[in-house]
Amino acid sequence: MQKIVTNIWCNGNAEEVGAYYADLFPNARTWVESRYPLEGLLEFQQPLAGEPLTVGVEIGEARLTLINADDTFSPNPSVSLMLNFDPLDFDGDAVAARAQLDTIWEVFAEDGSVLMPLQEYPFSARYGWVQDRYGVSWQFMLTDPAGESRPFVVPALMFGGPAQNRATAAVDRYLEVFEDAELGQRVLYGEATGPAEATSVMFSDFRIGEQWFTAMDSGREQDFSFTCGMSFEAHCEDQAEIDRLWDALSTVPAAEQCGWLVDPFGMNWQIVPKNMGELMERPNAFQHLMPMKKIIIADI
């Protein structure tokens, strides 16, 4: 099971979003993971009684979860999904890799918004950043096959706004907190660039288990930062691991609810048991979960 799953907050349309991604990406699928109960819901949840609560999406080996809720939150570019189109995955055919990149880009760009145009940059022969019709941001990269291999989908953190210039501290914290974690690259700006200091991170990546992530400090002023619109769900082996991660990461008591927390850098996490789906099949599990802050497995 994937240790950390990227969660996307949806405005009552999680099934539609899942179908959109499953139809667009090769080797992708979607399914309803769980549904809201018919009673015991909060006021904002009542229109969703019996509707999907979470919808799963797999793109290759990457797992995403779509949270079906309301319009309280929405994704923004502080968390994006980087797509690595590696010619080695196309039997070394760079033309085929570029063709698939361009095909998917065109769909996203047609009814989304382009944040960085698709073109050649010093760091990539073909790169672009786009926000799709649902507000989810994607970075497209034609990967240099001579470099180190990375997964097709890599969650990417951009530290801007109140989190500006905190990428190094955040990544170092995650490497300390999570087991089997390792720093990959860390490239600094070298000179002040917009709000980024000379010692700020222009690009870095790190691994937790088998999963890779990227992190950078924004080189432009941003009026947004991390929200519940894009969050990370950490699957824990047992109550002891839930307790350990909760104590290490949670710093905003007012944000604690149903396993959700906000870490020292503003990133939102859900710290949950790995068999959460099975636990939610227990009688009245939803009603037991709603008042909780940190999840207590025995009380579900």
Side-chain angles (χ1 to χ4, degrees):
M1 174 183 288
Q2 191 171 309
K3 174 69 174 179
I4 298 174
V5 175
T6 302
N7 283 6
I8 302 171
W9 188 284
C10 297
N11 183 12
N13 60 349
E15 277 191 286
E16 174 189 326
V17 178
Y20 179 76
Y21 296 147
D23 289 343
L24 180 58
F25 287 98
N27 303 317
R29 70 185 185 100
T30 185
W31 67 98
V32 174
E33 292 181 331
S34 63
R35 292 185 177 273
Y36 284 96
L38 297 176
E39 54 186 23
L41 300 173
L42 299 178
E43 183 177 353
F44 84 92
Q45 297 169 330
Q46 291 173 4
L48 295 168
E51 295 295 314
L53 170 58
T54 56
V55 173
V57 178
E58 281 184 358
I59 302 173
E61 296 181 354
R63 168 80 177 278
L64 309 174
T65 294
L66 310 179
I67 301 173
N68 210 33
D70 60 5
D71 62 356
T72 302
F73 301 102
S74 58
N76 69 50
S78 62
V79 180
S80 59
L81 297 168
M82 180 172 286
L83 302 176
N84 291 304
F85 293 83
D86 191 334
L88 294 178
D89 295 330
F90 295 81
D91 297 324
D93 188 343
V95 174
R98 175 169 173 155
Q100 188 177 98
L101 183 159
D102 288 354
T103 297
I104 299 174
W105 171 273
E106 288 173 4
V107 176
F108 277 160
E110 181 177 6
D111 52 3
S113 57
V114 174
L115 305 180
M116 291 179 67
L118 183 62
Q119 61 187 36
E120 182 175 353
Y121 291 88
F123 53 86
S124 176
R126 196 152 183 80
Y127 170 89
W129 194 334
V130 65
Q131 198 166 29
D132 70 23
R133 64 167 72 170
Y134 301 108
V136 180
S137 297
W138 304 79
Q139 298 183 58
F140 285 63
M141 174 86 74
L142 184 61
T143 306
D144 182 356
E148 291 188 39
S149 177
R150 292 291 184 265
F152 177 55
V153 181
V154 176
L157 299 167
M158 181 172 68
F159 290 77
Q164 181 68 48
N165 300 329
R166 304 196 72 193
T168 293
V171 171
D172 287 349
R173 180 67 167 165
Y174 301 152
L175 296 177
E176 175 187 354
V177 168
F178 289 97
E179 298 176 353
D180 189 21
E182 177 186 32
L183 180 67
Q185 306 176 63
R186 179 175 283 167
V187 180
L188 306 183
Y189 277 95
E191 60 182 28
T193 305
E197 301 168 353
T199 55
S200 297
V201 176
M202 183 167 61
F203 175 83
S204 68
D205 62 4
F206 62 100
R207 176 183 59 79
I208 298 175
E210 299 299 317
Q211 292 176 255
W212 284 93
F213 303 79
T214 74
M216 65 173 288
D217 290 304
S218 179
R220 297 181 180 181
E221 294 287 352
Q222 307 291 356
D223 60 0
F224 57 82
S225 189
F226 307 120
T227 74
C228 295
M230 297 281 282
S231 59
F232 290 146
E233 179 180 276
H235 292 169
C236 300
E237 292 292 330
D238 51 27
Q239 187 67 50
E241 186 176 13
I242 291 174
D243 294 345
R244 184 179 67 81
L245 293 182
W246 191 272
D247 292 343
L249 292 175
S250 186
T251 57
V252 184
E256 297 176 353
Q257 185 175 4
C258 301
W260 288 69
L261 62 79
V262 175
D263 74 17
F265 314 97
M267 187 63 204
N268 289 263
W269 296 81
Q270 293 124 74
I271 310 300
V272 303
K274 69 177 185 179
N275 64 334
M276 189 68 176
E278 175 186 327
L279 293 173
M280 292 304 293
E281 294 177 359
R282 293 179 177 178
N284 300 315
F286 190 86
Q287 289 83 353
H288 293 157
L289 177 66
M290 291 307 295
M292 291 186 186
K293 294 185 176 183
K294 178 177 71 176
I295 290 178
I296 306 299
I297 297 175
D299 293 343
I300 294 179

